[in-house]
Amino acid sequence: MADRYTMTQLVRDLGLTSRAIRFYEQQGLIFPGRNGRSRVFSGSDRTRLILIQRGRRLGFSIAEIREILDLYDPTEGERAQLVHLLRKIRDRRAQLEAQRRDIEAIEAELAALENTCLDRLSEDAA
């Protein structure tokens, strides 16, 4: 079965659950064939699953991952896909930077509140 994979192989090789793989199929991100009742996945499906995993790790939504994957055109190459991906990467970085600033502000506020509480407790003890 050259360049063909079973659900069991993908689960083992990629560390996904069969439920996750079926979910990605339901979302139209992969397109396995059938051999009776069994799903048969192509090399393209396997590659897409690896890209989906990477996208999820980077915090992209299923819709964003779909947009990126759908832009690939084997006849014209991956230029449009890469340009779109770069835009998404820059957007995601900006989101993460905003979250980092928010977290730093919250940490500073918590530290100030903690110091206030400790000061008041030490005043009460005196």
Side-chain angles (χ1 to χ4, degrees):
M1 190 155 74
D3 206 29
R4 298 279 177 227
Y5 304 90
T6 64
M7 177 77 77
T8 303
Q9 288 172 311
L10 291 178
V11 165
R12 182 189 65 230
D13 294 350
L14 302 180
L16 290 166
T17 64
S18 56
R19 183 177 179 187
I21 293 171
R22 285 191 303 273
F23 172 76
Y24 296 138
E25 178 185 0
Q26 290 168 349
Q27 295 299 308
L29 297 174
I30 56 173
F31 311 96
R34 298 278 183 194
N35 184 5
R37 291 182 47 141
S38 300
R39 290 171 174 84
V40 180
F41 299 88
S42 68
S44 176
D45 290 323
R46 185 178 190 280
T47 299
R48 288 173 76 93
L49 285 168
I50 291 168
L51 294 172
I52 292 164
Q53 284 181 293
R54 179 181 291 163
R56 296 300 285 164
R57 263 193 320 274
L58 295 174
F60 292 124
S61 70
I62 293 295
E64 290 171 318
I65 292 168
R66 180 182 298 104
E67 286 174 15
I68 294 164
L69 292 175
D70 288 349
L71 282 172
Y72 179 72
D73 182 351
T75 59
E76 295 190 23
E78 59 186 352
R79 181 172 174 69
Q81 185 183 36
L82 292 174
V83 168
H84 185 72
L85 179 57
L86 280 172
R87 213 172 17 250
K88 290 292 184 184
I89 288 169
R90 290 177 182 136
D91 291 347
R92 183 70 182 130
R93 276 192 166 150
Q95 289 171 348
L96 290 171
E97 186 56 40
Q99 287 176 331
R100 181 191 336 258
R101 287 191 303 270
D102 290 345
I103 290 169
E104 288 171 356
I106 291 168
E107 285 179 335
E109 192 172 333
L110 286 170
L113 183 57
E114 180 180 36
N115 287 334
T116 299
C117 290
L118 290 171
D119 289 346
R120 292 187 71 176
L121 285 172
S122 66
E123 288 172 5
D124 287 344

